[in-house]
Amino acid sequence: MTFSKSSLVAAGLAGMLLAAGPAAAQDIKIGALMPMTGDLQAFGPSSMSGIELALKEINAQGGLLDGRTLTVVVGDTQTAAQTAVDAAQKLVNVDSVVAIVGALSSGNSGPVATSVTGPAGIPQVSSASTAPVLSDIDDKDFFFRTVPADSLQGVVLAQVAKAEGFENVSVLYINNDYGEGLATAFTGAFKAKGGSIAANLAYEPGNASYRGELQNAAGDGAEALVLIGYPENGVAILRQSLEGGFFDSFIFTDGMKTPDIISAIGADFMDGSIGTAPQAVADSPAAATFRSAYEAEYGELPPKPFIDTAYDAAFVLALAIEKAGSTDGAAIRDALREVSSAPGMEILPGEWEKAKAAIAAGDDIDYVGAGGAQDFDSKGDVPGTFAFWAIEGGEIVTREVLAPEM
């Protein structure tokens, strides 16, 4: 009996697939909706490093349930709502993920939650979507976030601006849920502290020129520009502002906290800029443990937001799966609040084996996140603290970590 080369190749491939089948079936897959390209690309790969660290620790310390491996499938949102929805549908319907971390943009997370994960009963935990409007979307209680809402960041941003001596500022914000929500929170809090808003304007991403918006913002004695946006368009706005002599003092939010803006514009022009971003108290045991583990695995922790909260999203989802004893979406959702709130044995980042043993023994656990407390309320929101950061000597430095003055 003889065999053709093609039949041998086909038989070999079939054998490989059969051999891989049982092992692959043991994996538990979560999805990650990340902007690997597009306006928020500066935060996609760095957020993935946080997720990957969580998975490495979990799998090295016994894996999930009966020793199964936790894996991640990435969907590129391109920071576009329809692309994010399409990527989420693939993750759920083709890749069969049991939960999703992401998206980063609020304008992506909302449509995904209402049209994909909510209807499908798949838990979705965003590590960066901060728009206040997400608290009240129709998500069937399947949307959570490990980062505090901008209703809080806006208050801290106003605190920082006033403390730095600004009395009259203009606001230029990206025209989406994130930009509008944070602009509203900031302007309300700044006025309540006696400050004045010279202009409060939206900008459309992707424009070639923002000189018209900048000219309007520069009137009425504005001392600084509060820029609420993302790096890709933010860099263009900064460059045109400086070239046109509109503003040379800038106040940023979390979406602009990246070294990319310094390298693109130049340290001489960016030094003295300030901003806010969600951040845990740096010397807290949870934050210190995460930083040490990250640096041991990857080297220096970049001065970007959302790496720690991406880690938290993956870790808390794994804890919920372990607590539920199941990959059923509703069971995971119901367990998310159980594993992240007091009372219970305190679990820090990296303490998977400890958590796994406690759950097996029937003990309650309380995960204390790398990015701060992860006590999900009835809307899936968490409390938080925020970094007051600045650009000094061409570097992003944290001056102080603040809680909102409510």
Side-chain angles (χ1 to χ4, degrees), residues 45-51 53 57 288-302 307-308 311:
S46 55
S47 294
M48 278 306 304
S49 68
I51 295 171
L53 176 60
E57 293 175 338
T289 298
F290 168 75
R291 176 179 290 275
S292 177
Y294 186 97
E295 292 179 344
E297 185 70 31
Y298 301 113
E300 186 177 3
L301 182 63
I307 301 173
D308 50 1
Y311 174 97

Side-chain angles (χ1 to χ4, degrees), residues 285-366:
T289 298
F290 168 75
R291 176 179 290 275
S292 177
Y294 186 97
E295 292 179 344
E297 185 70 31
Y298 301 113
E300 186 177 3
L301 182 63
K304 295 183 179 183
F306 314 131
I307 301 173
D308 50 1
T309 52
Y311 174 97
D312 286 341
F315 205 89
V316 77
L317 276 170
L319 289 171
I321 294 169
E322 189 74 21
K323 176 72 173 179
S326 168
T327 56
D328 174 72
I332 298 169
R333 175 199 62 189
D334 295 344
L336 276 167
R337 293 183 178 90
E338 295 180 39
V339 299
S340 59
S341 303
M345 179 186 297
E346 188 174 276
I347 300 296
L348 299 182
E351 294 187 332
W352 178 257
E353 193 171 16
K354 176 182 174 181
K356 192 175 176 72
I359 291 170
D363 296 331
D364 291 333
I365 63 170
D366 176 15

Side-chain angles (χ1 to χ4, degrees), residues 25 137 161 208 282:
I137 57 172

Side-chain angles (χ1 to χ4, degrees), residues 26 136 241 322 329 367 387 397:
Q26 295 302 308
D136 297 311
S241 179
E322 189 74 21
Y367 176 64
V397 298

Side-chain angles (χ1 to χ4, degrees), residues 118-145:
I122 298 293
Q124 176 188 346
V125 183
S126 174
S127 55
S129 296
T130 54
V133 69
L134 294 178
S135 298
D136 297 311
I137 57 172
D138 182 16
D139 61 306
K140 316 300 182 188
D141 196 29
F142 280 95
F143 179 74
F144 298 75
R145 45 185 167 182

Side-chain angles (χ1 to χ4, degrees), residues 7-96:
S7 66
L8 287 170
V9 170
L13 287 172
M16 289 170 63
L17 289 170
L18 286 171
Q26 295 302 308
D27 292 348
I28 294 175
K29 291 186 287 187
I30 62 172
L33 285 172
M34 292 288 143
M36 307 309 286
T37 57
D39 211 11
L40 277 174
Q41 186 273 336
F43 303 106
S46 55
S47 294
M48 278 306 304
S49 68
I51 295 171
E52 290 162 356
L53 176 60
L55 268 58
K56 286 179 181 179
E57 293 175 338
I58 290 163
N59 292 328
Q61 296 179 44
L64 274 172
L65 303 178
D66 53 354
R68 297 165 70 181
T69 299
L70 182 62
T71 63
V72 63
V73 184
V74 183
D76 184 6
T77 66
Q78 300 177 27
T79 324
Q82 187 57 55
T83 305
V85 168
D86 292 343
Q89 288 175 334
K90 179 181 180 296
L91 289 175
V92 172
N93 299 320
V94 178
D95 298 307
S96 300

